[in-house]
Tab-separated table of all heavy atoms in Angstrom:
chain	number	residue	atom	x	y	z
A	11	CYS	N	-102.541	-23.510	24.855
A	11	CYS	CA	-103.170	-24.819	24.958
A	11	CYS	C	-104.565	-24.774	24.325
A	11	CYS	O	-105.209	-23.726	24.335
A	11	CYS	CB	-103.306	-25.234	26.427
A	11	CYS	SG	-101.739	-25.398	27.288
A	12	PRO	N	-105.049	-25.873	23.788
A	12	PRO	CA	-106.408	-25.900	23.235
A	12	PRO	C	-107.421	-25.455	24.279
A	12	PRO	O	-107.453	-25.982	25.385
A	12	PRO	CB	-106.600	-27.375	22.867
A	12	PRO	CG	-105.212	-27.884	22.632
A	12	PRO	CD	-104.354	-27.150	23.622
A	13	GLY	N	-108.223	-24.444	23.951
A	13	GLY	CA	-109.200	-23.932	24.897
A	13	GLY	C	-108.591	-23.097	26.003
A	13	GLY	O	-109.288	-22.684	26.932
A	14	GLY	N	-107.278	-22.862	25.924
A	14	GLY	CA	-106.600	-22.056	26.930
A	14	GLY	C	-106.274	-22.793	28.205
A	14	GLY	O	-105.777	-22.212	29.160
A	15	ARG	N	-106.558	-24.093	28.240
A	15	ARG	CA	-106.337	-24.861	29.463
A	15	ARG	C	-105.410	-26.036	29.207
A	15	ARG	O	-105.098	-26.377	28.071
A	15	ARG	CB	-107.673	-25.380	30.004
A	15	ARG	CG	-108.673	-24.283	30.338
A	15	ARG	CD	-109.960	-24.884	30.864
A	15	ARG	NE	-110.928	-23.851	31.213
A	15	ARG	CZ	-112.132	-24.105	31.697
A	15	ARG	NH1	-112.518	-25.365	31.894
A	15	ARG	NH2	-112.943	-23.119	31.983
A	16	THR	N	-105.000	-26.640	30.303
A	16	THR	CA	-104.213	-27.860	30.170
A	16	THR	C	-105.068	-28.936	29.519
A	16	THR	O	-106.290	-28.877	29.532
A	16	THR	CB	-103.711	-28.351	31.542
A	16	THR	OG1	-104.847	-28.550	32.388
A	16	THR	CG2	-102.776	-27.336	32.172
A	17	THR	N	-104.439	-29.930	28.937
A	17	THR	CA	-105.158	-30.954	28.186
A	17	THR	C	-104.901	-32.328	28.786
A	17	THR	O	-103.917	-32.533	29.517
A	17	THR	CB	-104.697	-30.969	26.717
A	17	THR	OG1	-103.367	-31.509	26.660
A	17	THR	CG2	-104.703	-29.574	26.120
A	18	PRO	N	-105.766	-33.298	28.458
A	18	PRO	CA	-105.547	-34.662	28.954
A	18	PRO	C	-104.484	-35.419	28.163
A	18	PRO	O	-104.251	-36.585	28.406
A	18	PRO	CB	-106.929	-35.306	28.772
A	18	PRO	CG	-107.536	-34.572	27.624
A	18	PRO	CD	-107.049	-33.158	27.761
A	19	HIS	N	-103.844	-34.747	27.220
A	19	HIS	CA	-102.797	-35.388	26.423
A	19	HIS	C	-101.694	-35.927	27.344
A	19	HIS	O	-101.181	-35.206	28.195
A	19	HIS	CB	-102.199	-34.383	25.440
A	19	HIS	CG	-101.106	-34.938	24.589
A	19	HIS	ND1	-101.344	-35.700	23.471
A	19	HIS	CD2	-99.763	-34.842	24.696
A	19	HIS	CE1	-100.194	-36.049	22.928
A	19	HIS	NE2	-99.217	-35.539	23.649
A	20	GLN	N	-101.349	-37.183	27.177
A	20	GLN	CA	-100.318	-37.785	28.015
A	20	GLN	C	-98.931	-37.354	27.547
A	20	GLN	O	-98.565	-37.585	26.389
A	20	GLN	CB	-100.421	-39.315	27.956
A	20	GLN	CG	-101.644	-39.874	28.663
A	20	GLN	CD	-101.473	-39.837	30.174
A	20	GLN	OE1	-100.422	-39.483	30.689
A	20	GLN	NE2	-102.522	-40.199	30.877
A	21	PRO	N	-98.126	-36.736	28.407
A	21	PRO	CA	-96.781	-36.322	28.001
A	21	PRO	C	-95.949	-37.477	27.461
A	21	PRO	O	-95.105	-37.268	26.589
A	21	PRO	CB	-96.188	-35.753	29.293
A	21	PRO	CG	-97.365	-35.329	30.099
A	21	PRO	CD	-98.440	-36.323	29.784
A	22	ARG	N	-96.190	-38.697	27.966
A	22	ARG	CA	-95.373	-39.826	27.508
A	22	ARG	C	-95.646	-40.201	26.056
A	22	ARG	O	-94.924	-41.011	25.485
A	22	ARG	CB	-95.578	-41.037	28.416
A	22	ARG	CG	-96.974	-41.623	28.437
A	22	ARG	CD	-96.986	-42.911	29.264
A	22	ARG	NE	-98.312	-43.483	29.415
A	22	ARG	CZ	-99.127	-43.238	30.443
A	22	ARG	NH1	-98.728	-42.438	31.421
A	22	ARG	NH2	-100.322	-43.783	30.506
A	23	ASN	N	-96.700	-39.601	25.439
A	23	ASN	CA	-96.998	-39.887	24.045
A	23	ASN	C	-96.356	-38.896	23.078
A	23	ASN	O	-96.634	-38.940	21.876
A	23	ASN	CB	-98.514	-39.932	23.816
A	23	ASN	CG	-99.135	-41.193	24.388
A	23	ASN	OD1	-98.486	-42.237	24.465
A	23	ASN	ND2	-100.386	-41.112	24.811
A	24	LEU	N	-95.510	-38.002	23.590
A	24	LEU	CA	-94.712	-37.187	22.683
A	24	LEU	C	-93.922	-38.129	21.777
A	24	LEU	O	-93.362	-39.132	22.242
A	24	LEU	CB	-93.741	-36.302	23.476
A	24	LEU	CG	-92.774	-35.451	22.650
A	24	LEU	CD1	-93.515	-34.369	21.878
A	24	LEU	CD2	-91.709	-34.820	23.552
A	25	ASN	N	-93.870	-37.817	20.485
A	25	ASN	CA	-93.234	-38.732	19.522
A	25	ASN	C	-91.713	-38.667	19.627
A	25	ASN	O	-91.013	-38.171	18.743
A	25	ASN	CB	-93.687	-38.397	18.101
A	25	ASN	CG	-93.558	-39.595	17.173
A	25	ASN	OD1	-93.882	-40.719	17.544
A	25	ASN	ND2	-93.067	-39.353	15.974
A	26	TYR	N	-91.214	-39.204	20.728
A	26	TYR	CA	-89.802	-39.135	21.095
A	26	TYR	C	-89.168	-40.519	20.913
A	26	TYR	O	-89.860	-41.530	21.084
A	26	TYR	CB	-89.699	-38.676	22.555
A	26	TYR	CG	-88.362	-38.123	22.958
A	26	TYR	CD1	-87.952	-36.865	22.521
A	26	TYR	CD2	-87.510	-38.846	23.784
A	26	TYR	CE1	-86.724	-36.350	22.902
A	26	TYR	CE2	-86.274	-38.335	24.165
A	26	TYR	CZ	-85.888	-37.089	23.724
A	26	TYR	OH	-84.668	-36.583	24.092
A	27	PRO	N	-87.871	-40.595	20.612
A	27	PRO	CA	-87.241	-41.894	20.322
A	27	PRO	C	-86.918	-42.732	21.553
A	27	PRO	O	-86.157	-43.699	21.458
A	27	PRO	CB	-85.935	-41.510	19.599
A	27	PRO	CG	-86.043	-40.055	19.310
A	27	PRO	CD	-86.971	-39.476	20.318
A	28	SER	N	-87.449	-42.390	22.710
A	28	SER	CA	-87.293	-43.223	23.892
A	28	SER	C	-88.629	-43.251	24.626
A	28	SER	O	-89.542	-42.484	24.311
A	28	SER	CB	-86.180	-42.705	24.810
A	28	SER	OG	-86.513	-41.417	25.303
A	29	PHE	N	-88.720	-44.134	25.624
A	29	PHE	CA	-89.971	-44.319	26.350
A	29	PHE	C	-89.675	-44.258	27.846
A	29	PHE	O	-88.825	-45.005	28.335
A	29	PHE	CB	-90.589	-45.681	26.018
A	29	PHE	CG	-90.783	-45.924	24.543
A	29	PHE	CD1	-89.720	-46.325	23.743
A	29	PHE	CD2	-92.030	-45.747	23.960
A	29	PHE	CE1	-89.896	-46.546	22.374
A	29	PHE	CE2	-92.219	-45.973	22.601
A	29	PHE	CZ	-91.148	-46.367	21.811
A	30	GLY	N	-90.366	-43.389	28.558
A	30	GLY	CA	-90.118	-43.288	29.992
A	30	GLY	C	-91.351	-42.838	30.731
A	30	GLY	O	-92.159	-42.055	30.217
A	31	ALA	N	-91.519	-43.327	31.951
A	31	ALA	CA	-92.668	-42.918	32.760
A	31	ALA	C	-92.377	-43.128	34.237
A	31	ALA	O	-91.715	-44.100	34.629
A	31	ALA	CB	-93.918	-43.701	32.362
A	32	HIS	N	-92.884	-42.202	35.050
A	32	HIS	CA	-92.812	-42.341	36.500
A	32	HIS	C	-94.008	-43.141	36.980
A	32	HIS	O	-95.124	-42.962	36.490
A	32	HIS	CB	-92.809	-40.961	37.161
A	32	HIS	CG	-92.801	-41.016	38.645
A	32	HIS	ND1	-93.959	-40.978	39.403
A	32	HIS	CD2	-91.779	-41.117	39.533
A	32	HIS	CE1	-93.650	-41.039	40.678
A	32	HIS	NE2	-92.330	-41.129	40.788
A	33	VAL	N	-93.776	-44.064	37.919
A	33	VAL	CA	-94.862	-44.862	38.499
A	33	VAL	C	-94.799	-44.742	40.021
A	33	VAL	O	-93.749	-44.466	40.593
A	33	VAL	CB	-94.775	-46.346	38.080
A	33	VAL	CG1	-94.976	-46.496	36.584
A	33	VAL	CG2	-93.439	-46.949	38.508
A	34	GLU	N	-95.929	-44.968	40.659
A	34	GLU	CA	-95.967	-44.914	42.111
A	34	GLU	C	-95.363	-46.177	42.712
A	34	GLU	O	-95.556	-47.285	42.201
A	34	GLU	CB	-97.403	-44.752	42.599
A	34	GLU	CG	-98.018	-43.403	42.270
A	34	GLU	CD	-99.376	-43.247	42.909
A	34	GLU	OE1	-99.504	-43.548	44.119
A	34	GLU	OE2	-100.309	-42.842	42.209
A	35	GLU	N	-94.636	-45.988	43.773
A	35	GLU	CA	-93.992	-47.108	44.468
A	35	GLU	C	-95.027	-48.159	44.874
A	35	GLU	O	-96.065	-47.840	45.454
A	35	GLU	CB	-93.272	-46.581	45.710
A	35	GLU	CG	-92.640	-47.649	46.574
A	35	GLU	CD	-92.155	-47.088	47.897
A	35	GLU	OE1	-92.046	-45.843	48.007
A	35	GLU	OE2	-91.909	-47.887	48.816
A	36	GLY	N	-94.765	-49.417	44.544
A	36	GLY	CA	-95.609	-50.525	44.948
A	36	GLY	C	-96.877	-50.718	44.144
A	36	GLY	O	-97.591	-51.705	44.355
A	37	LYS	N	-97.196	-49.792	43.236
A	37	LYS	CA	-98.414	-49.905	42.433
A	37	LYS	C	-98.134	-50.722	41.167
A	37	LYS	O	-97.056	-50.622	40.573
A	37	LYS	CB	-98.915	-48.515	42.035
A	37	LYS	CG	-99.386	-47.675	43.212
A	37	LYS	CD	-100.704	-48.198	43.763
A	37	LYS	CE	-101.261	-47.295	44.863
A	37	LYS	NZ	-101.687	-45.982	44.357
A	38	LYS	N	-99.131	-51.509	40.756
A	38	LYS	CA	-98.989	-52.283	39.531
A	38	LYS	C	-98.753	-51.344	38.345
A	38	LYS	O	-99.338	-50.262	38.255
A	38	LYS	CB	-100.230	-53.145	39.284
A	38	LYS	CG	-100.310	-54.376	40.186
A	38	LYS	CD	-101.454	-55.278	39.769
A	38	LYS	CE	-101.483	-56.566	40.603
A	38	LYS	NZ	-100.278	-57.394	40.390
A	39	ILE	N	-97.908	-51.789	37.439
A	39	ILE	CA	-97.548	-50.981	36.280
A	39	ILE	C	-98.419	-51.391	35.095
A	39	ILE	O	-98.525	-52.580	34.770
A	39	ILE	CB	-96.062	-51.179	35.927
A	39	ILE	CG1	-95.179	-50.746	37.103
A	39	ILE	CG2	-95.693	-50.402	34.669
A	39	ILE	CD1	-93.736	-51.191	36.958
A	40	ASN	N	-99.046	-50.405	34.478
A	40	ASN	CA	-99.858	-50.657	33.291
A	40	ASN	C	-99.821	-49.394	32.425
A	40	ASN	O	-100.609	-48.480	32.611
A	40	ASN	CB	-101.293	-51.024	33.667
A	40	ASN	CG	-102.102	-51.486	32.466
A	40	ASN	OD1	-101.602	-51.517	31.342
A	40	ASN	ND2	-103.349	-51.845	32.692
A	41	LEU	N	-98.860	-49.355	31.511
A	41	LEU	CA	-98.608	-48.156	30.721
A	41	LEU	C	-98.721	-48.444	29.233
A	41	LEU	O	-98.434	-49.562	28.782
A	41	LEU	CB	-97.198	-47.627	31.000
A	41	LEU	CG	-96.853	-47.251	32.437
A	41	LEU	CD1	-95.349	-47.069	32.571
A	41	LEU	CD2	-97.582	-45.986	32.855
A	42	LYS	N	-99.102	-47.422	28.481
A	42	LYS	CA	-99.112	-47.511	27.022
A	42	LYS	C	-98.455	-46.261	26.444
A	42	LYS	O	-98.677	-45.151	26.940
A	42	LYS	CB	-100.541	-47.646	26.479
A	42	LYS	CG	-101.192	-48.991	26.786
A	42	LYS	CD	-102.538	-49.120	26.104
A	42	LYS	CE	-103.224	-50.446	26.462
A	42	LYS	NZ	-102.461	-51.613	25.998
A	43	PHE	N	-97.655	-46.467	25.429
A	43	PHE	CA	-96.985	-45.379	24.715
A	43	PHE	C	-97.348	-45.490	23.235
A	43	PHE	O	-97.242	-46.573	22.659
A	43	PHE	CB	-95.463	-45.472	24.832
A	43	PHE	CG	-94.929	-45.491	26.237
A	43	PHE	CD1	-94.873	-46.676	26.961
A	43	PHE	CD2	-94.452	-44.328	26.822
A	43	PHE	CE1	-94.350	-46.707	28.246
A	43	PHE	CE2	-93.925	-44.347	28.104
A	43	PHE	CZ	-93.879	-45.538	28.822
A	44	THR	N	-97.728	-44.383	22.631
A	44	THR	CA	-98.023	-44.358	21.196
A	44	THR	C	-96.908	-43.620	20.463
A	44	THR	O	-96.492	-42.539	20.887
A	44	THR	CB	-99.358	-43.657	20.927
A	44	THR	OG1	-100.410	-44.349	21.608
A	44	THR	CG2	-99.674	-43.646	19.434
A	45	ARG	N	-96.434	-44.224	19.382
A	45	ARG	CA	-95.379	-43.610	18.585
A	45	ARG	C	-95.673	-43.762	17.096
A	45	ARG	O	-96.382	-44.688	16.677
A	45	ARG	CB	-94.012	-44.257	18.885
A	45	ARG	CG	-93.478	-44.006	20.278
A	45	ARG	CD	-93.084	-42.566	20.501
A	45	ARG	NE	-92.390	-42.377	21.758
A	45	ARG	CZ	-92.994	-42.160	22.928
A	45	ARG	NH1	-94.323	-42.115	22.983
A	45	ARG	NH2	-92.300	-41.984	24.021
A	46	THR	N	-95.082	-42.852	16.310
A	46	THR	CA	-95.175	-42.906	14.853
A	46	THR	C	-93.781	-42.763	14.273
A	46	THR	O	-93.034	-41.859	14.673
A	46	THR	CB	-96.076	-41.780	14.313
A	46	THR	OG1	-97.394	-41.933	14.841
A	46	THR	CG2	-96.143	-41.825	12.789
A	47	VAL	N	-93.421	-43.644	13.361
A	47	VAL	CA	-92.120	-43.564	12.703
A	47	VAL	C	-92.314	-43.223	11.226
A	47	VAL	O	-93.315	-43.602	10.618
A	47	VAL	CB	-91.309	-44.871	12.844
A	47	VAL	CG1	-90.739	-44.998	14.237
A	47	VAL	CG2	-92.152	-46.092	12.497
A	48	THR	N	-91.346	-42.504	10.683
A	48	THR	CA	-91.376	-42.081	9.287
A	48	THR	C	-90.242	-42.746	8.529
A	48	THR	O	-89.093	-42.732	8.985
A	48	THR	CB	-91.230	-40.552	9.183
A	48	THR	OG1	-92.267	-39.922	9.941
A	48	THR	CG2	-91.308	-40.089	7.734
A	49	ASN	N	-90.556	-43.311	7.386
A	49	ASN	CA	-89.548	-43.963	6.556
A	49	ASN	C	-88.707	-42.912	5.836
A	49	ASN	O	-89.233	-42.094	5.079
A	49	ASN	CB	-90.236	-44.870	5.533
A	49	ASN	CG	-89.244	-45.609	4.661
A	49	ASN	OD1	-88.152	-45.951	5.103
A	49	ASN	ND2	-89.613	-45.867	3.412
A	50	VAL	N	-87.400	-42.901	6.065
A	50	VAL	CA	-86.511	-41.953	5.392
A	50	VAL	C	-85.562	-42.664	4.434
A	50	VAL	O	-84.579	-42.097	3.970
A	50	VAL	CB	-85.706	-41.116	6.414
A	50	VAL	CG1	-86.629	-40.176	7.169
A	50	VAL	CG2	-84.934	-42.005	7.385
């Protein structure tokens, strides 16, 4: 890991072809996912 420690990088921002996140029960949902697509 950078600096040998865990990072604040959000796992949900892995450039994966689906979007998923765990949320706490009853809490308002406010999520953002970043993705990059490549033209083939």
Side-chain angles (χ1 to χ4, degrees):
C11 298
R15 300 180 179 180
T16 57
T17 71
H19 179 80
Q20 290 285 355
R22 64 174 176 267
N23 286 331
L24 176 68
N25 204 42
Y26 199 73
S28 63
F29 306 80
H32 177 267
V33 295
E34 292 186 47
E35 176 190 345
K37 294 288 185 68
K38 285 188 176 296
I39 299 167
N40 188 359
L41 301 167
K42 290 186 183 297
F43 303 84
T44 300
R45 293 291 189 274
T46 299
V47 285
T48 303
N49 182 33
V50 292

